[in-house]
Amino acid sequence: MDEPLSLADRLRESIEEDIATGKLPPGAPLDEAELTQRFGVSRTPVREAMVQLAAAGMVDIRHRRGATVAQLSPQRLIEMFEVMAEFEAMCGRYAARRMQADQLAALEAAHLACETARNAGDADTYYHLNENFHHQIYAGSHNGFLCEQATTLHRRLRPYRRLQLRVKGRLQASFGEHQAIVDAIKAGDGERAAQALRGHVMVQGERFADLMAALSQLRTATEQA
């Protein structure tokens, strides 16, 4: 039972990447038979991946029409990152007040794991470890509803957050921002933690332009491949 689910997760990430880079543009059909042939798998993990993507809002599934890539404009992306930044700020504020000793230790361990990936310059591994870092903060807020909402939106923005880390210099900057977040939470300074997380997540100005440029570059590379 575990293997098909693990395969579905890998398929989901591959399709997410194609959506984020524009290889699968908004409105593009996602043909089940084509995907099974492309990835060399049965229909079951493909269907599971489609369900996960639909739950994350990245794919629209309509009865008798099949699945298509959901429409997401740059303005919508900015709006979603704005909300994500506020969710994370709230999680950080509560975590600074409520995190227990074992949770703080887990957060620091997640931070150190990110350092190893940063030193190796491995953006994809860093991204997965970065997810764990943020989820430790969500759980540390001890607010179940907020944790659920933050996790759901995090999943929706997953491919874009991953691609941000491929922008030159972003890996190093991200780790430095993590350090400020950990320091604030350990100090019990909720407002400083909230401010650090908001700045860490918010994508605007040059950072948004960099993300759009990275998407464009990856789209060009994909088209030329």
Side-chain angles (χ1 to χ4, degrees):
M1 181 64 68
D2 291 340
E3 181 60 27
L5 291 174
S6 176
L7 179 56
D9 287 339
R10 292 199 296 272
L11 289 173
R12 184 207 68 229
E13 288 200 349
S14 294
I15 297 169
E16 279 180 347
E17 181 87 355
D18 287 349
I19 292 172
T21 60
K23 184 175 181 180
L24 289 171
L30 295 166
D31 183 75
E32 188 176 290
E34 182 180 330
L35 290 171
T36 59
Q37 183 176 10
R38 173 186 169 190
F39 291 106
V41 297
S42 68
R43 290 178 180 265
T44 298
V46 170
R47 288 171 181 167
E48 291 176 358
M50 289 297 103
V51 169
Q52 291 179 26
L53 288 164
M58 298 195 71
V59 167
D60 293 326
I61 300 177
R62 297 184 181 181
H63 183 58
R64 295 183 178 177
R65 289 188 170 184
T68 58
V69 178
Q71 306 281 344
L72 186 61
S73 67
Q75 180 59 37
R76 185 69 166 176
L77 193 58
I78 291 174
E79 292 171 352
M80 292 170 72
F81 269 107
E82 285 179 344
V83 174
M84 187 77 255
E86 293 306 316
F87 278 170
E88 298 244 7
M90 284 190 287
C91 286
R93 182 180 295 111
Y94 293 144
R97 301 205 308 255
R98 301 173 180 175
M99 256 191 170
Q100 299 169 356
D102 59 332
Q103 292 178 310
L104 282 169
L107 179 64
E108 290 189 283
H111 180 49
L112 289 175
C114 287
E115 183 177 26
T116 300
R118 180 209 62 176
N119 291 342
D122 188 342
D124 286 336
T125 297
Y126 182 95
Y127 167 75
H128 289 291
L129 295 169
N130 171 71
E131 273 200 314
N132 180 47
F133 176 84
H134 284 270
H135 287 306
Q136 294 293 339
I137 297 171
Y138 302 166
S141 73
H142 289 275
N143 183 312
F145 180 75
L146 176 58
C147 183
E148 290 169 6
Q149 297 304 307
T151 299
T152 297
L153 187 52
H154 187 113
R155 286 175 55 204
R156 182 67 176 88
L157 291 170
R158 180 184 283 134
Y160 303 97
R161 294 181 76 150
R162 182 165 65 231
L163 287 173
Q164 280 187 83
L165 294 171
R166 297 181 184 175
V167 172
K168 184 177 180 180
R170 182 58 198 153
L171 210 61
Q172 181 69 33
S174 174
F175 183 78
E177 291 162 10
H178 280 193
Q179 185 65 62
I181 292 163
V182 171
D183 290 344
I185 291 175
K186 286 180 64 179
D189 191 333
E191 290 310 310
R192 183 154 58 96
Q195 183 178 0
L197 273 156
R198 185 182 293 110
H200 176 62
V201 174
M202 182 68 77
V203 174
Q204 58 186 358
E206 290 184 359
R207 281 184 60 186
F208 184 74
D210 286 343
L211 175 58
M212 291 297 100
L215 288 169
S216 178
Q217 290 170 7
L218 285 168
R219 186 182 301 116
T220 300
T222 299
E223 290 171 351
Q224 292 176 348

